[in-house]
Amino acid sequence: MKFVDVILPLPLSAAYTYALPEEQQAAVRPGCRVIVPFGAKKFYTAIVVDVHGRQPQGYAVKTVWEILDSDPVLLPVQLDFWRWLADYYLCAVGDVYKAALPSGMKLESESKVVVNSEYAGNAVLSEREQRVVTWVSRRSEPTVTQLQKECEDFRVLRVVRSLMDKGVLAMKEEVKRSYKPRTEVHVRLSETYFDEDKLHELLEGLGRAPKQQSLLLKYLELAGAGTAFRLRNPKMLAEVGRKALVEAVGGSLAICRALEEKGVLEAYPYEIGRLAHTEVTETIGVSPLSEAQARAFRELEEAFARHPVCLLHGVTSSGKTEVYIHLIRQMIAEGKQVLYLVPEIVLTTQLTDRLYRVFGNRMGVYHSKFPDAERVEIWQKQLSEQPYDIIVGVRSSVFLPFRHLGLVIVDEEHEQSYKQQEPAPRYHARNAAIMLARMYGARTLLGTATPALETYYNVRMGKYGLVELTERFGQVRLPEVEVVDIKELQRKRRMAGPFSPRLLEEMRRALENKEQVILFQNRRGYAPMIECHTCGWVPKCKNCDVSLTYHKGLNQMTCHYCGYTCNVPTRCPACEGTELVQRGFGTEKVEDAVHQVFPEAAVARMDLDTTRTRSAYEGILEDFQSGKTDVLIGTQMVTKGLDFERVSVVGILNADAMLNIPDFRSFERAFQLMAQVAGRAGRRSRQGRVILQTKSPDLPLIRQVTEHDYFGLYVGQMEERQMFVYPPFCRLIYVYMKHKRADVLDHLAAEMGSRLRQVFGSRILGPDAPPVARIQLLYIRKIVVKVELGASLAKVREQLLYLRQNLMAHPDYRSAQIYYDVDPM
């Protein structure tokens, strides 16, 4: 008897053992998917991690329900990587599995409600129960979700449970297969006519049906029938699509179907997939490197000989991407694969167009805006004999299978977007990519103009290699950053909405010269909040401890944490006052202000509200790239490594909003955002100009931004962090606790803090309420654990996992959530 240990896509750390059916014992290997029963009635797709003959003792072993794969979909290195992620980021390996595989590869059973066939019809039913029974009877096995949509005025699950207790309804589990291969109808010559004499006789007989004869001749031409007949091998007939065949002769579908009815052609479904099918291998040559780029390329080769991880610290518009392209070409020539990580989907459009012109169909793109079925097919292609040589993607791309990974490029490595926040695993893709590359024996290249301070510290300590690219491509000077003190301007009432007179002057000059402008405001919506002028009342979210943001386009108030919306108030509920004023401004209000000042200018806005679809990103960027848009307004999306040659002016509308965040990284992030958005100006022929509006012009950070002084920022921040013991001089782990009741949560947080202090002493900070202390009806408390660099991480994890397990077993805390965020951002 054989057994398998499997991982389930659930927050479970342990592998579970199932028995293999006798007839399938030779058909499964580690890395294959199987469908297994779990719990009372549910079925899940599990990943086999071991096949053995050790029968578990003390309980009845359930049997594998179905084997889905003949070949593994998970490589051994991937499984090791999953285990490392789960161990390092203090989560279950089931959490990693759930995040790693596309949904279409994780079949789950779906609960459907049916009328019990043994029900005698004599139960006393309430009005709601009768309503549910009637609706179920009229539908074909609805799900609980469908029932809830139909019966919105009450909690349907409670009623369904009552009806199940009375024997009226029953639950039925059905495995849902969400992925279906894309197919098209192809045609082939039937076996009867794969005979030259019969085929000639047929063609002569079709003389009375010239359109059918013409279509059959075209089929024979497209299928390459001459070679197949000569070698007497029907398998050599090429695939021919029915639609393509009909279009090739300019006929109608009826002609083809007539030949099918006569038994001449046979129609059948042919799997074509959803990925782009082109025969392009290399469309243009690689551009030659400038002298500075060539020097950086040589230095990288030397640095990689000494360090597996290197930082390419290149100023904005220095041509780092061109260096990447030469490295990729070198890797492909060595038979290796490349993973090219970008922090945001917004970067992939420009980048993939550029890479595709060089590498053609050797490159694949992987991100969450793609349909799930397309992501399944990319996963399958990576397991095939002809995988992509280059994968360009966001953080989830680290989970893809690679057989010959040689290089991982982490572009804009400083970006917060590389950190997964919710749900688990809360991994950092940069750090995960470094570990993944190490497991493959590959190299990792980190590239940015504004490195994360921890990364630069690793360089200074000799852990990473360093190559610097200090001049812009074409020797264009870095943009001139001009600081405008808006505190004084606001006092004198000289501001035109969010714009200073100096910014308006530069915008007007740029637009007159047919140049483009980027305006950066890191807050979406029209106004961050509405306030009663009389009593100070502010509309807040009913689920979260935050004020609601006013969105003028939607004419509603919205919570940016849980999505709750409500109508815009016209009267204050506290004092009945009607003077409700808007406080602050978001990108939507900036857009309105630009329209008012420059009515002739074409304006676009790029934020989460305008880029919810894959095509929306591409459309905004394409219009700006082609010059159809004059002014682009955006949140931090516009700070990414985008390349626009006609941008001469960048406006940073409110630097202070970035400086006043209660976090030890606030100055680092503010510098990175401002330096990156400034780098969008003057990237081709002449020096650009940046207008930085602030109420704190004397801050050292503002001077560092104007002078492009990254090293000055690094030295100042390292002194502070060493003094107060923050990364990179320690490791941080945040302990988050959530509960729907504040009193229970306070007791839990106090208990957790007390127990942590018994183990870690003064290295514990808190518990405290975070800046947003309630989200989606759950109250939140946070504890900070500082871990010395020399401490045993294995022992720290062991203690933290034990404490969580111990507290969660307490009856008062079973409905609480406790989780850890390792290396938080």
Side-chain angles (χ1 to χ4, degrees):
M1 187 71 179
K2 281 193 175 181
F3 301 88
V4 289
D5 293 341
V6 302
I7 298 171
L8 290 152
L10 297 168
L12 303 167
S13 296
Y16 284 75
T17 304
Y18 288 83
L20 277 173
E22 289 288 341
E23 66 277 8
Q24 295 179 318
Q25 293 196 356
V28 68
R29 290 182 284 160
C32 290
R33 295 172 303 153
V34 292
I35 296 180
V36 297
F38 189 79
K41 295 180 179 178
K42 295 289 286 184
F43 291 86
Y44 291 96
T45 301
I47 297 282
V48 175
V49 294
D50 191 19
V51 182
H52 58 84
R54 304 181 301 275
Q55 181 164 0
Q57 302 299 314
Y59 63 91
V61 182
K62 294 181 180 179
T63 303
V64 168
W65 194 54
E66 184 180 345
I67 295 174
L68 295 176
D69 306 305
S70 55
D71 295 306
V73 298
L74 192 72
L75 303 177
V77 177
Q78 286 178 282
L79 184 56
D80 291 340
F81 181 57
W82 285 13
R83 286 169 170 155
W84 176 83
L85 278 170
D87 184 47
Y88 185 83
Y89 289 102
L90 294 169
C91 65
V93 71
D95 287 324
V96 181
Y97 168 24
K98 192 168 184 178
L101 255 68
S103 297
M105 297 178 73
K106 302 190 293 279
L107 284 65
E108 289 186 17
S109 64
E110 189 174 54
S111 299
K112 297 199 169 185
V113 185
V114 295
V115 176
N116 189 352
S117 58
E118 299 178 2
Y119 172 53
N122 53 6
V124 178
L125 305 180
S126 68
E127 182 184 341
R128 287 180 176 178
E129 289 174 334
Q130 187 59 58
R131 180 175 158 191
V132 169
V133 172
T134 302
W135 203 82
V136 170
S137 302
R138 291 175 181 171
R139 298 295 186 276
S140 176
E141 301 179 353
T143 64
V144 174
T145 305
Q146 290 169 334
L147 270 175
Q148 187 62 72
K149 286 180 181 177
E150 177 67 19
C151 310
E152 292 180 343
D153 53 329
F154 60 90
R155 293 177 64 180
V156 76
L157 190 57
R158 188 175 293 171
V159 178
V160 169
R161 283 176 179 163
S162 171
L163 288 166
M164 289 174 65
D165 292 340
K166 294 176 180 179
V168 182
L169 297 182
M171 282 287 192
K172 172 184 174 184
E173 289 295 313
E174 185 176 287
V175 174
K176 181 175 62 174
R177 299 175 186 265
S178 58
Y179 171 72
K180 293 180 181 178
R182 177 177 286 179
T183 61
E184 69 178 17
V185 178
H186 279 209
V187 290
R188 61 189 167 212
L189 190 67
S190 68
E191 285 186 30
T192 305
Y193 292 100
F194 194 77
D195 179 283
E196 289 192 51
D197 294 334
K198 288 186 178 180
L199 186 60
H200 285 144
E201 185 181 335
L202 171 67
L203 287 167
E204 287 178 11
L206 289 175
R208 293 184 297 276
K211 290 184 178 180
Q212 293 180 25
Q213 185 186 60
S214 175
L215 187 137
L216 180 56
L217 288 169
K218 177 56 74 173
Y219 165 78
L220 295 171
E221 176 192 332
L222 294 175
T227 304
F229 272 97
R230 189 168 57 254
L231 298 175
R232 298 184 181 182
N233 185 357
K235 293 182 179 178
M236 295 190 69
L237 289 169
E239 292 290 340
V240 178
R242 184 163 67 180
K243 183 180 178 183
L245 176 59
V246 171
E247 289 175 352
V249 296
S252 68
L253 192 59
I255 301 168
C256 191
R257 283 185 170 150
L259 287 172
E260 292 167 24
E261 289 170 5
K262 290 178 180 179
V264 178
L265 296 178
E266 296 174 352
Y268 61 98
Y270 179 75
E271 186 175 332
I272 57 169
R274 295 165 175 82
L275 306 181
H277 293 282
T278 62
E279 298 304 318
V280 182
T281 54
E282 194 160 322
T283 56
I284 61 171
V286 178
S287 302
L289 297 175
S290 68
E291 185 180 337
Q293 290 170 332
R295 184 170 58 251
F297 182 80
R298 290 192 300 271
E299 289 176 3
L300 274 173
E301 289 185 307
E302 294 169 4
F304 275 133
R306 300 187 300 272
H307 302 279
V309 183
C310 287
L311 170 66
L312 177 58
H313 185 193
V315 297
T316 55
S317 194
S318 57
K320 294 185 289 294
T321 306
E322 209 59 52
V323 177
Y324 299 158
I325 288 172
H326 279 254
L327 281 170
I328 292 168
R329 186 180 65 166
Q330 186 182 73
M331 278 291 130
I332 292 175
E334 294 174 9
K336 300 287 188 179
Q337 293 172 290
V338 178
L339 172 59
Y340 192 142
L341 289 176
V342 292
E344 296 265 13
I345 297 163
V346 68
L347 276 178
T348 59
T349 303
Q350 272 198 341
L351 180 64
T352 52
D353 287 348
R354 190 168 173 185
L355 292 175
Y356 188 76
R357 288 196 297 271
V358 179
F359 299 108
N361 61 357
R362 290 181 158 190
M363 182 192 72
V365 182
Y366 190 82
H367 60 63
S368 59
K369 291 291 181 185
F370 280 177
D372 187 71
E374 205 162 313
R375 282 180 280 154
V376 170
E377 292 185 8
I378 291 173
W379 189 288
Q380 291 171 342
K381 182 170 175 62
Q382 288 303 94
L383 290 167
S384 71
E385 294 301 314
Q386 293 182 312
Y388 288 118
D389 293 320
I390 316 154
I391 288 288
V392 179
V394 292
R395 61 174 180 255
S396 58
S397 305
V398 297
F399 295 118
L400 282 171
F402 293 91
R403 294 190 186 277
H404 309 290
L405 187 63
L407 175 67
V408 178
I409 298 170
V410 185
D411 198 16
E412 308 296 345
E413 65 85 28
H414 66 277
E415 278 286 348
Q416 280 181 260
S417 310
Y418 282 124
K419 174 69 172 174
Q420 164 77 7
Q421 301 294 346
E422 293 290 343
R426 296 171 181 85
Y427 66 100
H428 196 298
R430 177 195 62 214
N431 301 340
I434 291 171
M435 178 55 67
L436 181 71
R438 184 186 299 175
M439 290 177 171
Y440 276 97
R443 302 165 179 171
T444 306
L445 177 60
L446 311 176
T448 179
T450 53
L453 294 182
E454 287 94 330
T455 299
Y456 203 71
Y457 177 81
N458 284 330
V459 167
R460 303 280 295 176
M461 293 296 106
K463 186 176 179 181
Y464 297 167
L466 173 66
V467 174
E468 294 182 299
L469 199 50
T470 56
E471 65 181 56
R472 284 185 145 193
F473 186 76
Q475 297 185 328
V476 177
R477 287 187 295 167
L478 285 165
E480 180 185 351
V481 182
E482 182 179 334
V483 179
V484 176
D485 184 354
I486 58 173
K487 183 178 182 180
E488 187 66 15
L489 290 171
Q490 286 176 342
R491 189 181 67 81
K492 294 178 179 178
R493 300 184 183 279
R494 292 183 57 201
M495 294 286 289
F499 309 124
S500 63
R502 189 74 187 90
L503 177 55
L504 287 176
E505 179 187 343
E506 288 297 329
M507 289 175 66
R508 187 171 289 109
R509 183 181 291 121
L511 294 174
E512 286 171 356
N513 293 335
K514 306 298 181 185
E515 295 168 338
Q516 292 174 305
V517 177
I518 289 179
L519 299 176
F520 170 58
Q521 170 61 11
N522 203 21
R523 188 181 286 272
R524 63 188 172 102
Y526 194 83
M529 68 180 195
I530 288 177
E531 183 182 57
C532 174
H533 187 68
T534 306
C535 70
W537 170 81
V538 174
K540 292 193 172 182
C541 176
K542 68 175 187 178
N543 304 318
C544 313
D545 282 344
V546 291
S547 59
L548 295 172
T549 301
Y550 171 48
H551 287 255
K552 185 180 178 182
L554 301 170
N555 192 32
Q556 65 183 20
M557 307 294 292
T558 302
C559 174
H560 288 172
Y561 283 84
C562 72
Y564 168 76
T565 60
C566 68
N567 294 328
V568 181
T570 57
R571 184 181 296 273
C572 173
C575 71
E576 297 296 314
T578 56
E579 195 176 352
L580 302 177
V581 293
Q582 298 162 10
R583 300 294 188 195
F585 59 91
T587 50
E588 202 177 355
K589 194 170 186 177
V590 175
E591 184 181 19
D592 262 14
V594 174
H595 281 303
Q596 290 170 13
V597 181
F598 302 104
E600 302 299 319
V603 183
R605 176 163 52 92
M606 189 162 73
D607 56 29
L608 192 61
D609 297 322
T610 62
T611 55
R612 294 193 182 276
T613 63
R614 173 178 161 187
S615 57
Y617 276 111
E618 296 168 359
I620 292 169
L621 292 176
E622 188 178 324
D623 287 349
F624 197 65
Q625 181 83 43
S626 63
K628 293 179 183 177
T629 305
D630 301 312
V631 181
L632 180 63
I633 302 154
T635 55
Q636 60 180 341
M637 289 180 182
V638 300
T639 69
K640 314 303 178 187
L642 300 170
D643 188 15
F644 303 113
E645 59 181 292
R646 287 190 287 273
V647 175
S648 63
V649 175
V650 166
I652 300 173
L653 300 183
N654 184 11
D656 305 289
M658 297 176 274
L659 302 174
N660 298 324
I661 299 169
D663 188 277
F664 72 94
R665 285 195 175 95
S666 61
F667 273 29
E668 175 190 5
R669 287 178 184 156
F671 180 92
Q672 290 166 343
L673 281 171
M674 288 190 277
Q676 288 287 341
V677 74
R680 302 313 108 208
R683 295 176 68 88
R684 286 293 188 274
S685 54
R686 66 184 184 86
Q687 186 181 28
R689 183 176 292 275
V690 179
I691 306 298
L692 193 162
Q693 298 183 167
T694 177
K695 294 177 183 176
S696 312
D698 298 326
L699 274 178
L701 179 73
I702 300 299
R703 178 187 54 76
Q704 289 159 358
V705 172
T706 59
E707 296 176 1
H708 309 284
D709 182 14
Y710 172 82
F711 190 71
L713 170 83
Y714 172 79
V715 171
Q717 289 297 299
M718 285 299 106
E719 288 176 357
E720 286 188 16
R721 294 195 187 183
Q722 188 166 22
M723 185 185 304
F724 296 107
V725 193
Y726 275 99
F729 301 102
C730 74
R731 290 183 181 274
L732 285 187
I733 300 173
Y734 287 171
V735 184
Y736 283 101
M737 294 149 287
K738 297 181 179 180
H739 199 277
K740 61 185 177 182
R741 286 177 50 187
D743 58 335
V744 174
L745 182 62
D746 286 336
H747 283 113
L748 169 61
E751 181 73 16
M752 174 63 95
S754 173
R755 295 194 186 192
L756 284 170
R757 281 188 175 84
Q758 291 173 17
V759 179
F760 298 100
S762 60
R763 292 167 289 181
I764 302 300
L765 302 178
D768 295 304
V772 180
R774 187 176 64 123
I775 297 176
Q776 295 181 353
L777 298 175
L778 291 175
Y779 293 92
I780 308 168
R781 297 293 179 268
K782 184 178 85 172
I783 296 174
V784 178
V785 182
K786 291 184 176 181
V787 182
E788 295 100 330
L789 296 179
S792 167
L793 290 179
K795 290 183 179 178
V796 170
R797 292 186 198 114
E798 183 182 338
Q799 289 287 345
L800 290 174
L801 292 173
Y802 171 77
L803 281 175
R804 180 173 65 185
Q805 183 181 4
N806 193 265
L807 279 172
M808 292 296 287
H810 193 285
D812 292 345
Y813 306 142
R814 280 178 184 164
S815 59
Q817 296 178 28
I818 303 174
Y819 64 86
Y820 301 112
D821 189 0
V822 180
D823 299 337
M825 294 297 290

